[in-house]
Coordinates of all heavy atoms in Angstrom, one line a residue:
M228 N -19.2 5.9 -18.8 CA -19.3 7.2 -18.1 C -19.9 7.0 -16.7 O -20.9 6.3 -16.6 CB -20.2 8.1 -19.0 CG -20.3 9.5 -18.4 SD -21.3 10.5 -19.4 CE -22.8 10.5 -18.4
R229 N -19.3 7.7 -15.8 CA -19.8 7.6 -14.5 C -20.6 8.9 -14.2 O -20.2 10.0 -14.7 CB -18.7 7.5 -13.4 CG -18.0 6.2 -13.5 CD -17.1 6.0 -12.4 NE -16.6 4.6 -12.4 CZ -16.2 4.0 -11.3 NH1 -16.2 4.6 -10.2 NH2 -15.7 2.8 -11.4
F230 N -21.6 8.8 -13.4 CA -22.3 10.0 -13.0 C -21.6 10.9 -12.0 O -21.8 12.1 -11.9 CB -23.7 9.6 -12.5 CG -24.6 9.0 -13.5 CD1 -24.9 7.6 -13.5 CD2 -25.1 9.7 -14.6 CE1 -25.7 7.1 -14.4 CE2 -25.9 9.2 -15.5 CZ -26.2 7.8 -15.5
F231 N -20.8 10.2 -11.2 CA -20.0 10.9 -10.2 C -18.5 10.8 -10.5 O -17.9 9.8 -10.2 CB -20.3 10.4 -8.8 CG -21.8 10.4 -8.4 CD1 -22.6 9.2 -8.5 CD2 -22.4 11.6 -8.1 CE1 -23.9 9.3 -8.2 CE2 -23.7 11.6 -7.8 CZ -24.5 10.5 -7.8
E232 N -17.9 11.8 -11.0 CA -16.5 11.8 -11.4 C -15.6 11.7 -10.2 O -14.5 11.2 -10.3 CB -16.2 13.0 -12.2 CG -16.8 13.0 -13.6 CD -16.3 11.8 -14.5 OE1 -15.1 11.5 -14.3 OE2 -17.1 11.3 -15.2
L233 N -16.1 12.2 -9.0 CA -15.3 12.1 -7.8 C -15.0 10.6 -7.4 O -14.0 10.3 -6.8 CB -16.0 12.9 -6.7 CG -15.2 12.9 -5.4 CD1 -13.9 13.7 -5.6 CD2 -16.1 13.7 -4.4
L234 N -15.9 9.7 -7.8 CA -15.7 8.3 -7.4 C -14.5 7.7 -8.0 O -13.8 6.9 -7.4 CB -17.0 7.5 -7.9 CG -17.1 6.2 -7.3 CD1 -17.2 6.2 -5.8 CD2 -18.4 5.5 -7.9
N235 N -14.1 8.2 -9.2 CA -12.8 7.7 -9.8 C -11.6 8.1 -9.0 O -10.7 7.3 -8.7 CB -12.6 8.3 -11.2 CG -13.6 7.7 -12.2 OD1 -14.1 6.6 -12.1 ND2 -13.9 8.5 -13.2
T236 N -11.6 9.4 -8.5 CA -10.6 9.9 -7.7 C -10.5 9.1 -6.3 O -9.4 8.8 -5.8 CB -10.7 11.4 -7.5 OG1 -10.9 12.0 -8.7 CG2 -9.5 12.0 -6.7
Q237 N -11.7 8.9 -5.8 CA -11.7 8.2 -4.5 C -11.2 6.8 -4.6 O -10.5 6.3 -3.8 CB -13.2 8.1 -4.0 CG -13.6 9.5 -3.5 CD -15.1 9.5 -3.1 OE1 -15.8 8.6 -3.5 NE2 -15.5 10.5 -2.4
H238 N -11.5 6.1 -5.7 CA -11.0 4.7 -5.9 C -9.5 4.7 -6.1 O -8.8 3.9 -5.5 CB -11.6 4.1 -7.2 CG -13.0 3.6 -6.9 ND1 -13.8 3.3 -7.9 CD2 -13.7 3.5 -5.8 CE1 -15.0 2.9 -7.4 NE2 -15.0 3.1 -6.1
V239 N -8.9 5.7 -6.8 CA -7.5 5.8 -7.0 C -6.8 6.1 -5.7 O -5.8 5.4 -5.3 CB -7.1 6.9 -8.0 CG1 -5.6 7.2 -8.0 CG2 -7.6 6.5 -9.4
F240 N -7.3 7.0 -4.9 CA -6.7 7.3 -3.6 C -6.8 6.1 -2.6 O -5.9 5.8 -1.8 CB -7.3 8.5 -2.9 CG -6.8 9.8 -3.5 CD1 -7.7 10.7 -4.0 CD2 -5.5 10.1 -3.5 CE1 -7.2 11.9 -4.6 CE2 -5.0 11.2 -4.1 CZ -5.9 12.2 -4.6
A241 N -7.9 5.3 -2.7 CA -8.1 4.2 -1.8 C -7.1 3.1 -2.2 O -6.4 2.5 -1.3 CB -9.5 3.6 -2.0
L242 N -6.8 2.9 -3.5 CA -5.8 1.9 -3.9 C -4.4 2.4 -3.5 O -3.6 1.5 -3.1 CB -5.9 1.7 -5.4 CG -7.2 1.1 -6.0 CD1 -7.2 1.1 -7.5 CD2 -7.3 -0.3 -5.4
I243 N -4.1 3.7 -3.6 CA -2.8 4.2 -3.2 C -2.6 4.0 -1.7 O -1.5 3.6 -1.3 CB -2.6 5.6 -3.7 CG1 -2.5 5.7 -5.2 CG2 -1.4 6.3 -3.0 CD1 -2.6 7.1 -5.7
I244 N -3.6 4.3 -0.9 CA -3.5 4.1 0.5 C -3.3 2.7 0.9 O -2.5 2.4 1.8 CB -4.7 4.8 1.2 CG1 -4.7 6.3 1.1 CG2 -4.8 4.3 2.7 CD1 -5.9 7.0 1.6
I245 N -4.0 1.8 0.3 CA -3.9 0.4 0.6 C -2.5 -0.1 0.2 O -1.8 -0.9 1.0 CB -4.9 -0.5 -0.2 CG1 -6.3 -0.2 0.4 CG2 -4.6 -2.0 -0.2 CD1 -7.4 -0.8 -0.3
A246 N -1.9 0.4 -0.9 CA -0.6 0.0 -1.3 C 0.5 0.5 -0.3 O 1.4 -0.2 0.0 CB -0.3 0.5 -2.7
I247 N 0.3 1.7 0.1 CA 1.2 2.3 1.1 C 1.2 1.6 2.4 O 2.2 1.3 3.0 CB 0.9 3.8 1.3 CG1 1.3 4.6 0.0 CG2 1.7 4.4 2.5 CD1 0.9 6.0 0.0
I248 N 0.0 1.2 2.9 CA -0.1 0.5 4.1 C 0.5 -0.9 4.0 O 1.2 -1.3 4.9 CB -1.6 0.3 4.5 CG1 -2.2 1.7 4.9 CG2 -1.8 -0.7 5.6 CD1 -3.7 1.7 5.1
F249 N 0.3 -1.5 2.8 CA 1.0 -2.8 2.6 C 2.5 -2.7 2.6 O 3.2 -3.5 3.2 CB 0.5 -3.4 1.3 CG 1.3 -4.6 0.9 CD1 1.1 -5.8 1.5 CD2 2.3 -4.5 -0.1 CE1 1.8 -7.0 1.1 CE2 3.1 -5.6 -0.4 CZ 2.8 -6.8 0.2
L250 N 3.0 -1.7 2.0 CA 4.5 -1.5 1.9 C 5.1 -1.2 3.3 O 6.1 -1.8 3.7 CB 4.8 -0.4 1.0 CG 4.7 -0.6 -0.5 CD1 4.9 0.6 -1.3 CD2 5.6 -1.7 -0.9
I251 N 4.4 -0.4 4.1 CA 4.8 -0.2 5.5 C 4.8 -1.4 6.3 O 5.8 -1.7 7.0 CB 4.0 1.0 6.1 CG1 4.3 2.3 5.4 CG2 4.3 1.1 7.6 CD1 3.3 3.4 5.8
L252 N 3.7 -2.2 6.3 CA 3.6 -3.4 7.1 C 4.7 -4.4 6.6 O 5.3 -5.1 7.4 CB 2.2 -4.0 7.0 CG 1.1 -3.3 7.7 CD1 -0.2 -4.0 7.5 CD2 1.5 -3.3 9.2
F253 N 4.9 -4.5 5.3 CA 5.8 -5.5 4.8 C 7.3 -5.1 5.2 O 8.1 -6.0 5.5 CB 5.7 -5.6 3.2 CG 6.4 -6.7 2.7 CD1 6.0 -8.0 2.9 CD2 7.6 -6.5 1.9 CE1 6.7 -9.1 2.3 CE2 8.3 -7.6 1.3 CZ 7.8 -8.9 1.6
G254 N 7.6 -3.8 5.1 CA 8.9 -3.3 5.5 C 9.2 -3.6 7.0 O 10.2 -4.0 7.4
V255 N 8.2 -3.3 7.8 CA 8.3 -3.6 9.3 C 8.5 -5.1 9.5 O 9.3 -5.5 10.4 CB 7.1 -3.0 10.1 CG1 7.1 -3.5 11.5 CG2 7.1 -1.5 10.0
A256 N 7.7 -5.9 8.8 CA 7.8 -7.3 9.0 C 9.2 -7.8 8.6 O 9.8 -8.7 9.3 CB 6.7 -8.0 8.2
L257 N 9.7 -7.3 7.5 CA 11.1 -7.8 7.1 C 12.1 -7.4 8.1 O 13.1 -8.0 8.2 CB 11.4 -7.2 5.7 CG 10.7 -7.8 4.5 CD1 11.1 -7.1 3.2 CD2 11.0 -9.3 4.4
A258 N 11.9 -6.3 8.8 CA 12.9 -5.9 9.8 C 12.9 -6.9 11.0 O 14.0 -7.0 11.7 CB 12.5 -4.5 10.3
F259 N 11.9 -7.6 11.2 CA 11.8 -8.5 12.4 C 12.0 -10.0 12.0 O 11.9 -10.8 12.9 CB 10.5 -8.3 13.2 CG 10.5 -7.0 13.8 CD1 9.7 -6.0 13.4 CD2 11.2 -6.8 15.0 CE1 9.7 -4.7 14.0 CE2 11.2 -5.5 15.6 CZ 10.4 -4.5 15.1
I260 N 12.1 -10.3 10.7 CA 12.3 -11.7 10.3 C 13.7 -12.1 10.7 O 14.7 -11.4 10.4 CB 12.1 -11.9 8.8 CG1 10.6 -11.7 8.5 CG2 12.5 -13.3 8.4 CD1 10.3 -11.8 7.0
P261 N 13.8 -13.3 11.4 CA 15.2 -13.7 11.8 C 16.0 -14.1 10.6 O 15.6 -15.0 9.8 CB 14.9 -14.9 12.7 CG 13.6 -15.3 12.5 CD 12.8 -14.1 11.9
M262 N 17.1 -13.5 10.3 CA 18.0 -13.8 9.2 C 19.2 -14.5 9.8 O 19.4 -14.6 11.0 CB 18.4 -12.5 8.5 CG 17.2 -11.7 7.9 SD 16.5 -12.6 6.5 CE 15.3 -11.4 6.0
S263 N 20.1 -14.9 8.9 CA 21.3 -15.5 9.3 C 22.2 -14.4 9.8 O 22.2 -13.3 9.2 CB 22.0 -16.3 8.2 OG 22.3 -15.4 7.1
G264 N 23.1 -14.7 10.7 CA 24.0 -13.7 11.2 C 23.9 -13.6 12.7 O 23.5 -14.5 13.4
P265 N 24.2 -12.4 13.3 CA 24.2 -12.3 14.8 C 22.8 -12.5 15.4 O 22.7 -13.0 16.5 CB 24.6 -10.8 15.0 CG 25.1 -10.3 13.7 CD 24.6 -11.2 12.6
I266 N 21.8 -12.2 14.6 CA 20.4 -12.3 15.2 C 20.1 -13.8 15.3 O 19.5 -14.3 16.3 CB 19.4 -11.6 14.3 CG1 19.6 -10.1 14.3 CG2 17.9 -12.0 14.8 CD1 18.7 -9.4 13.3
A267 N 20.5 -14.6 14.3 CA 20.3 -16.1 14.3 C 21.1 -16.7 15.5 O 20.6 -17.6 16.2 CB 20.7 -16.7 13.0
K268 N 22.3 -16.2 15.7 CA 23.1 -16.7 16.8 C 22.5 -16.4 18.2 O 22.5 -17.1 19.1 CB 24.5 -16.2 16.7 CG 25.2 -16.8 15.5 CD 26.6 -16.2 15.3 CE 27.2 -16.7 14.1 NZ 28.4 -15.9 13.6
A269 N 21.9 -15.2 18.2 CA 21.3 -14.8 19.5 C 20.0 -15.6 19.8 O 19.7 -15.8 20.9 CB 20.9 -13.3 19.5
L270 N 19.3 -16.0 18.8 CA 18.1 -16.7 18.9 C 18.3 -18.2 19.0 O 17.4 -19.0 19.1 CB 17.1 -16.4 17.8 CG 16.6 -15.0 17.8 CD1 15.7 -14.8 16.5 CD2 15.7 -14.7 19.0
N271 N 19.6 -18.6 18.9 CA 20.0 -20.1 18.9 C 19.3 -20.9 17.8 O 18.8 -22.0 18.0 CB 19.7 -20.7 20.3 CG 20.6 -20.1 21.4 OD1 21.7 -19.7 21.1 ND2 20.0 -20.0 22.6
I272 N 19.3 -20.3 16.6 CA 18.7 -21.1 15.5 C 19.9 -21.8 14.9 O 20.9 -21.3 14.4 CB 18.1 -20.1 14.4 CG1 16.9 -19.4 15.0 CG2 17.7 -20.9 13.2 CD1 16.4 -18.3 14.1
K273 N 19.8 -23.1 14.9 CA 20.9 -24.0 14.4 C 20.6 -24.4 12.9 O 19.5 -24.8 12.6 CB 21.0 -25.2 15.3 CG 21.3 -24.9 16.7 CD 21.7 -26.1 17.5 CE 22.0 -25.8 18.9 NZ 21.9 -24.5 19.5
A274 N 21.7 -24.4 12.1 CA 21.5 -24.8 10.7 C 21.4 -26.3 10.6 O 22.1 -27.0 11.3 CB 22.7 -24.3 10.0
V275 N 20.5 -26.7 9.8 CA 20.3 -28.2 9.6 C 21.1 -28.6 8.4 O 21.7 -29.7 8.4 CB 18.8 -28.4 9.3 CG1 18.6 -29.9 9.0 CG2 18.0 -28.0 10.5
Q276 N 21.2 -27.8 7.3 CA 22.0 -28.2 6.2 C 22.9 -27.0 5.9 O 22.6 -25.9 6.0 CB 21.1 -28.4 4.9 CG 20.2 -29.6 5.0 CD 19.4 -29.7 3.8 OE1 19.0 -28.7 3.2 NE2 19.1 -31.0 3.4
H277 N 24.1 -27.3 5.4 CA 25.1 -26.3 5.0 C 25.4 -26.4 3.5 O 25.6 -27.5 3.0 CB 26.4 -26.5 5.8 CG 26.2 -26.2 7.3 ND1 26.1 -25.0 7.8 CD2 26.1 -27.1 8.3 CE1 25.9 -25.0 9.1 NE2 25.9 -26.3 9.5
F278 N 25.3 -25.3 2.8 CA 25.5 -25.3 1.4 C 26.8 -24.5 1.1 O 27.5 -24.0 2.0 CB 24.3 -24.6 0.7 CG 23.1 -25.4 0.9 CD1 22.1 -24.8 1.8 CD2 22.8 -26.6 0.3 CE1 20.9 -25.5 2.0 CE2 21.6 -27.2 0.5 CZ 20.7 -26.7 1.3
A279 N 27.1 -24.4 -0.1 CA 28.4 -23.6 -0.5 C 28.3 -22.2 -0.1 O 27.2 -21.6 0.0 CB 28.5 -23.8 -2.0
D280 N 29.4 -21.6 0.0 CA 29.5 -20.1 0.4 C 28.9 -19.8 1.8 O 28.5 -18.7 2.0 CB 28.9 -19.2 -0.7 CG 29.6 -19.3 -2.0 OD1 30.8 -19.6 -2.0 OD2 28.9 -19.1 -3.0
G281 N 28.9 -20.8 2.6 CA 28.4 -20.5 4.0 C 26.9 -20.3 4.2 O 26.5 -19.8 5.2
I282 N 26.1 -20.7 3.2 CA 24.7 -20.6 3.3 C 24.2 -21.8 4.1 O 24.6 -22.9 3.8 CB 24.0 -20.6 1.9 CG1 24.5 -19.3 1.1 CG2 22.5 -20.5 2.0 CD1 24.1 -19.3 -0.3
G283 N 23.3 -21.6 5.0 CA 22.8 -22.7 5.8 C 21.2 -22.6 5.9 O 20.6 -21.6 5.8
K284 N 20.6 -23.8 5.9 CA 19.2 -23.9 6.0 C 18.9 -24.3 7.4 O 19.4 -25.2 8.0 CB 18.7 -25.0 5.0 CG 17.2 -25.3 5.1 CD 16.8 -26.4 4.3 CE 15.3 -26.7 4.5 NZ 14.9 -27.9 3.8
A285 N 17.9 -23.5 8.0 CA 17.6 -23.7 9.4 C 16.1 -24.0 9.5 O 15.3 -23.7 8.7 CB 17.9 -22.5 10.2
E286 N 15.8 -24.6 10.6 CA 14.4 -24.9 11.0 C 13.8 -23.8 11.8 O 13.7 -23.8 13.0 CB 14.3 -26.2 11.7 CG 14.6 -27.4 10.9 CD 13.7 -27.7 9.8 OE1 12.5 -27.4 9.9 OE2 14.1 -28.3 8.8
G287 N 13.5 -22.7 11.2 CA 13.0 -21.5 11.9 C 11.5 -21.4 11.7 O 10.8 -22.1 10.9
P288 N 10.8 -20.5 12.4 CA 9.4 -20.3 12.3 C 9.0 -19.6 10.9 O 9.8 -18.9 10.4 CB 9.0 -19.4 13.4 CG 10.3 -18.6 13.7 CD 11.4 -19.6 13.4
F289 N 7.9 -20.0 10.4 CA 7.4 -19.3 9.2 C 6.9 -17.9 9.6 O 6.2 -17.7 10.5 CB 6.2 -20.1 8.6 CG 5.8 -19.7 7.2 CD1 6.6 -20.1 6.2 CD2 4.7 -19.0 7.0 CE1 6.3 -19.7 4.9 CE2 4.3 -18.6 5.7 CZ 5.1 -19.0 4.7
P290 N 7.4 -16.9 8.9 CA 7.1 -15.5 9.2 C 5.6 -15.2 9.2 O 4.9 -15.6 8.2 CB 7.9 -14.7 8.2 CG 8.9 -15.6 7.6 CD 8.3 -17.0 7.7
L291 N 5.1 -14.6 10.2 CA 3.7 -14.3 10.3 C 3.2 -13.4 9.2 O 2.1 -13.6 8.6 CB 3.4 -13.6 11.7 CG 2.0 -13.2 11.9 CD1 1.1 -14.5 11.9 CD2 1.8 -12.5 13.2
I292 N 4.0 -12.4 8.8 CA 3.6 -11.5 7.7 C 3.4 -12.2 6.4 O 2.5 -11.9 5.7 CB 4.6 -10.3 7.6 CG1 4.0 -9.2 6.6 CG2 5.9 -10.8 7.0 CD1 2.8 -8.5 7.2
I293 N 4.2 -13.2 6.1 CA 4.1 -14.0 4.9 C 2.8 -14.8 4.9 O 2.0 -14.9 3.9 CB 5.3 -14.9 4.6 CG1 6.6 -14.1 4.6 CG2 5.1 -15.7 3.3 CD1 6.6 -13.0 3.5
A294 N 2.5 -15.4 6.1 CA 1.2 -16.1 6.2 C 0.0 -15.2 6.1 O -1.0 -15.6 5.4 CB 1.2 -16.8 7.6
L295 N 0.1 -14.0 6.6 CA -1.0 -13.1 6.5 C -1.2 -12.6 5.0 O -2.3 -12.4 4.6 CB -0.8 -11.8 7.4 CG -0.9 -12.1 8.9 CD1 -0.5 -10.9 9.7 CD2 -2.3 -12.5 9.2
I296 N -0.1 -12.4 4.3 CA -0.2 -12.0 2.9 C -0.8 -13.1 2.1 O -1.7 -12.8 1.3 CB 1.2 -11.6 2.4 CG1 1.6 -10.3 3.0 CG2 1.2 -11.4 0.9 CD1 3.1 -9.9 2.7
I297 N -0.4 -14.3 2.3 CA -0.9 -15.4 1.5 C -2.4 -15.6 1.9 O -3.2 -15.8 1.0 CB -0.1 -16.7 1.8 CG1 1.3 -16.6 1.2 CG2 -0.8 -17.9 1.2 CD1 2.3 -17.6 1.6
G298 N -2.7 -15.6 3.2 CA -4.1 -15.8 3.6 C -5.0 -14.7 3.0 O -6.1 -14.9 2.6
G299 N -4.5 -13.4 3.1 CA -5.3 -12.3 2.6 C -5.5 -12.4 1.1 O -6.6 -12.0 0.6
T300 N -4.5 -12.9 0.4 CA -4.7 -13.0 -1.1 C -5.8 -14.0 -1.4 O -6.6 -13.8 -2.3 CB -3.4 -13.5 -1.7 OG1 -2.4 -12.5 -1.4 CG2 -3.5 -13.6 -3.2
F301 N -5.8 -15.2 -0.7 CA -6.8 -16.2 -0.9 C -8.2 -15.7 -0.5 O -9.2 -15.9 -1.2 CB -6.5 -17.5 -0.2 CG -5.4 -18.3 -0.8 CD1 -4.3 -18.6 -0.2 CD2 -5.6 -18.7 -2.1 CE1 -3.3 -19.4 -0.8 CE2 -4.6 -19.5 -2.8 CZ -3.4 -19.8 -2.1
L302 N -8.3 -15.0 0.6 CA -9.6 -14.4 1.0 C -10.1 -13.4 0.0 O -11.3 -13.3 -0.3 CB -9.5 -13.8 2.4 CG -9.4 -14.8 3.6 CD1 -9.2 -14.1 4.9 CD2 -10.7 -15.6 3.6
W303 N -9.2 -12.5 -0.4 CA -9.6 -11.5 -1.4 C -10.1 -12.1 -2.7 O -11.1 -11.7 -3.2 CB -8.4 -10.6 -1.8 CG -8.7 -9.6 -2.9 CD1 -9.4 -8.4 -2.7 CD2 -8.5 -9.8 -4.2 NE1 -9.5 -7.9 -4.0 CE2 -9.0 -8.7 -4.9 CE3 -7.8 -10.8 -5.0 CZ2 -8.9 -8.5 -6.3 CZ3 -7.7 -10.6 -6.3 CH2 -8.2 -9.5 -7.0
A304 N -9.4 -13.2 -3.2 CA -9.8 -13.9 -4.4 C -11.2 -14.5 -4.2 O -12.1 -14.4 -5.1 CB -8.8 -14.9 -4.8
L305 N -11.4 -15.2 -3.0 CA -12.7 -15.8 -2.8 C -13.8 -14.8 -2.7 O -14.8 -15.0 -3.3 CB -12.6 -16.6 -1.4 CG -13.9 -17.2 -1.0 CD1 -14.2 -18.4 -1.9 CD2 -13.7 -17.7 0.5
F306 N -13.6 -13.7 -1.9 CA -14.7 -12.7 -1.8 C -14.9 -12.0 -3.2 O -16.0 -11.6 -3.5 CB -14.4 -11.7 -0.7 CG -14.6 -12.3 0.6 CD1 -13.6 -12.2 1.6 CD2 -15.7 -13.0 1.0 CE1 -13.7 -12.8 2.9 CE2 -15.9 -13.6 2.2 CZ -14.9 -13.5 3.2
Y307 N -13.9 -11.8 -3.9 CA -14.0 -11.2 -5.3 C -14.9 -12.0 -6.2 O -15.8 -11.5 -6.8 CB -12.6 -11.0 -5.9 CG -12.6 -10.3 -7.2 CD1 -12.6 -8.9 -7.3 CD2 -12.5 -11.0 -8.4 CE1 -12.6 -8.2 -8.5 CE2 -12.5 -10.3 -9.6 CZ -12.5 -9.0 -9.6 OH -12.5 -8.3 -10.8
I308 N -14.6 -13.3 -6.2 CA -15.4 -14.2 -7.0 C -16.9 -14.3 -6.5 O -17.8 -14.2 -7.3 CB -14.8 -15.6 -7.0 CG1 -13.5 -15.6 -7.7 CG2 -15.7 -16.7 -7.6 CD1 -12.6 -16.9 -7.6
L309 N -17.0 -14.4 -5.2 CA -18.4 -14.4 -4.6 C -19.2 -13.1 -4.9 O -20.4 -13.2 -5.2 CB -18.3 -14.7 -3.1 CG -17.9 -16.2 -2.8 CD1 -17.8 -16.3 -1.3 CD2 -18.8 -17.2 -3.4
Y310 N -18.5 -12.0 -4.7 CA -19.2 -10.7 -4.9 C -19.7 -10.6 -6.3 O -20.9 -10.2 -6.6 CB -18.2 -9.6 -4.6 CG -18.8 -8.2 -4.9 CD1 -19.8 -7.6 -4.1 CD2 -18.4 -7.5 -6.1 CE1 -20.3 -6.4 -4.4 CE2 -18.9 -6.3 -6.4 CZ -19.9 -5.7 -5.5 OH -20.4 -4.5 -5.9
Y311 N -18.8 -10.9 -7.3 CA -19.3 -10.7 -8.7 C -20.2 -11.8 -9.1 O -21.0 -11.7 -10.0 CB -18.1 -10.6 -9.7 CG -17.5 -9.3 -9.7 CD1 -16.2 -9.0 -9.1 CD2 -18.1 -8.2 -10.2 CE1 -15.7 -7.8 -9.0 CE2 -17.6 -6.9 -10.2 CZ -16.4 -6.7 -9.6 OH -15.9 -5.4 -9.6
G312 N -20.1 -13.0 -8.4 CA -21.1 -14.0 -8.7 C -22.5 -13.7 -8.2 O -23.5 -14.0 -8.9
F313 N -22.6 -13.2 -7.0 CA -23.9 -12.9 -6.4 C -24.5 -11.6 -7.0 O -25.7 -11.4 -7.0 CB -23.8 -12.9 -4.9 CG -23.6 -14.2 -4.3 CD1 -22.6 -14.5 -3.4 CD2 -24.5 -15.3 -4.6 CE1 -22.5 -15.7 -2.8 CE2 -24.3 -16.5 -4.1 CZ -23.3 -16.7 -3.2
S314 N -23.6 -10.7 -7.4 CA -24.2 -9.4 -7.9 C -24.6 -9.5 -9.4 O -25.2 -8.6 -9.9 CB -23.2 -8.3 -7.7 OG -22.0 -8.5 -8.6
E315 N -24.3 -10.6 -10.0 CA -24.7 -10.9 -11.4 C -24.3 -9.8 -12.4 O -25.0 -9.4 -13.3 CB -26.2 -11.1 -11.5 CG -26.7 -12.3 -10.6 CD -28.2 -12.4 -10.6 OE1 -28.9 -11.6 -11.2 OE2 -28.7 -13.4 -10.0
V316 N -23.1 -9.4 -12.2 CA -22.5 -8.4 -13.1 C -21.8 -9.1 -14.2 O -21.1 -10.0 -14.0 CB -21.5 -7.5 -12.3 CG1 -20.8 -6.5 -13.3 CG2 -22.1 -6.7 -11.2
I317 N -22.0 -8.6 -15.4 CA -21.4 -9.2 -16.6 C -20.1 -8.4 -16.8 O -20.1 -7.2 -17.0 CB -22.3 -9.1 -17.8 CG1 -23.6 -9.8 -17.6 CG2 -21.5 -9.5 -19.1 CD1 -24.6 -9.6 -18.7
L318 N -19.0 -9.2 -16.7 CA -17.7 -8.5 -16.9 C -17.3 -8.5 -18.3 O -17.5 -9.3 -19.1 CB -16.6 -9.3 -16.1 CG -16.8 -9.3 -14.6 CD1 -15.8 -10.1 -13.9 CD2 -16.8 -7.9 -14.0

């Protein structure tokens, strides 16, 4: 039981807002990732390997948004472990 019932609602809204922000950033990032097609030809990305059905593997840059998501996940896990370790909360 919580003494402040409004805190439950605030946590739910905070989680929803974080999820919406993530979806917007991920959608915008996917719009700018160089894919195969006219964009790849405009950026002069050359295929290194060619597979069946016209699929090609290219040496392109690693998308920044994917690096940020992976880094954010590792940082969140680290701080989550440290927070509960130092606060001595029994889960």
Side-chain angles (χ1 to χ4, degrees):
M228 182 180 103
R229 291 189 175 208
F230 294 110
F231 303 104
E232 289 297 324
L233 182 61
L234 194 58
N235 290 334
T236 307
Q237 289 173 344
H238 284 167
V239 169
F240 282 124
L242 293 173
I243 290 172
I244 289 172
I245 289 172
I247 289 172
I248 290 171
F249 170 77
L250 288 173
I251 290 171
L252 286 176
F253 192 70
V255 170
L257 284 179
F259 291 105
I260 291 177
M262 301 288 184
S263 62
I266 297 173
K268 292 175 185 166
L270 294 174
N271 294 328
I272 298 175
K273 298 190 181 4
V275 177
Q276 291 178 329
H277 294 284
F278 301 104
D280 296 331
I282 299 171
K284 177 183 174 186
E286 294 292 330
F289 193 74
L291 179 63
I292 189 68
I293 302 298
L295 290 175
I296 290 171
I297 293 170
T300 303
F301 283 123
L302 284 176
W303 174 81
L305 176 68
F306 288 128
Y307 184 82
I308 291 169
L309 291 176
Y310 174 75
Y311 281 108
F313 288 129
S314 64
E315 298 175 359
V316 174
I317 298 173
L318 296 177

